[in-house]
Amino acid sequence: MVRYRRNLVPGATFFFTVALADRRSTGLIDHISTLRLAFRKARSERPFGIDAIVILPHHLHAIFTLPESDADFAHRWRRIKTVFTQGVLCAGEALGRRDGTGRSLWQRRFWERTIRNDADFSQHVDYIHYNPTKHGLASRPSVWPYSSLHRFIRQGIVPPDWGGAAVAGGERGEPKQSAAPSACVTTPR
């Protein structure tokens, strides 16, 4: 059996996909205020930057930048998952069973990728912001309420119609470069 090794680089920027155990669930958006609280608590305990994020019904994508001397993203995700799960349980929600090993709201692991350079960062930000449209949850990215795209629009990084009708989906679901400017060419990190 191959043992998975995470790339632990202090101060690095990482792309994450984190999902609920039940991929039919709408739990993340049903309990969005609880999820926001979980992120606030995790960030107050162990700071990190959220460069981009999108919350979908049963999974989320995010780009975090960790402090220069810190590579422990796993602890942060553990804290976010724990606080969110406790909040959902307090709201009276039942948790699903995980293959007879107990109850679980979340998938056991998460997927991470180390961001290599500005082009990689930009591509992942575009992927994050276009994801609700890719999944058929929004007609265009700017109408999905649970996305950092709104911050990018307010800061003038992208136009309000970014990813609109002129977008033709690429193989990963993000806009083609000619259809919409990259969301992060000038984004400070």
Side-chain angles (χ1 to χ4, degrees):
M1 181 172 154
V2 175
R3 183 177 162 97
Y4 180 77
R5 294 184 186 159
R6 297 204 182 271
N7 190 21
L8 301 175
V9 181
T13 300
F14 299 92
F15 168 83
F16 299 97
T17 299
V18 183
L20 296 178
D22 180 359
R23 295 295 292 228
R24 298 163 300 173
S25 173
T26 57
L28 293 178
I29 58 174
D30 291 346
H31 299 281
I32 194 71
S33 61
T34 303
L35 185 60
R36 288 178 175 144
L37 173 65
F39 271 90
R40 280 194 305 274
K41 282 191 175 188
R43 290 180 80 189
S44 71
E45 294 168 7
R46 298 196 65 179
F48 60 95
I50 301 174
D51 300 299
I53 191 166
V54 67
I55 311 299
L56 302 171
H58 52 68
H59 72 284
L60 64 87
H61 300 289
I63 297 176
F64 291 178
T65 298
L66 300 183
E68 287 301 319
S69 60
D70 193 344
D72 188 5
F73 51 77
H75 178 84
R76 289 164 170 87
W77 279 116
R78 188 176 319 114
R79 188 67 177 136
I80 291 165
K81 288 178 171 186
T82 298
V83 171
F84 181 76
T85 300
Q86 290 169 346
V88 168
L89 286 171
C90 287
E93 297 286 332
L95 298 183
R97 295 257 178 219
R98 181 192 294 151
D99 302 329
T101 61
R103 293 186 219 179
S104 178
L105 182 62
W106 298 94
Q107 288 184 355
R108 285 185 188 214
R109 298 187 181 244
F110 52 84
W111 190 87
E112 107 279 341
R113 173 185 167 88
T114 306
I115 301 295
R116 299 180 312 268
N117 54 41
D118 287 342
D120 193 31
F121 180 84
S122 181
Q123 181 181 28
H124 282 86
V125 169
D126 288 351
Y127 177 81
I128 285 171
H129 291 157
Y130 197 72
N131 213 251
T133 304
K134 174 184 175 184
H135 287 286
L137 298 168
S139 59
R140 59 189 187 281
S142 63
V143 300
W144 186 251
Y146 313 114
S147 172
S148 60
L149 177 62
H150 303 288
R151 175 174 37 111
F152 282 61
I153 292 169
R154 278 193 313 273
Q155 293 174 350
I157 296 168
V158 297
D161 63 348
W162 182 90
V167 170
E171 67 181 52
R172 293 181 56 202
E174 60 274 350
K176 290 182 179 178
Q177 291 297 328
S178 61
S182 173
C184 294
V185 173
T186 59
T187 302
R189 293 191 313 206

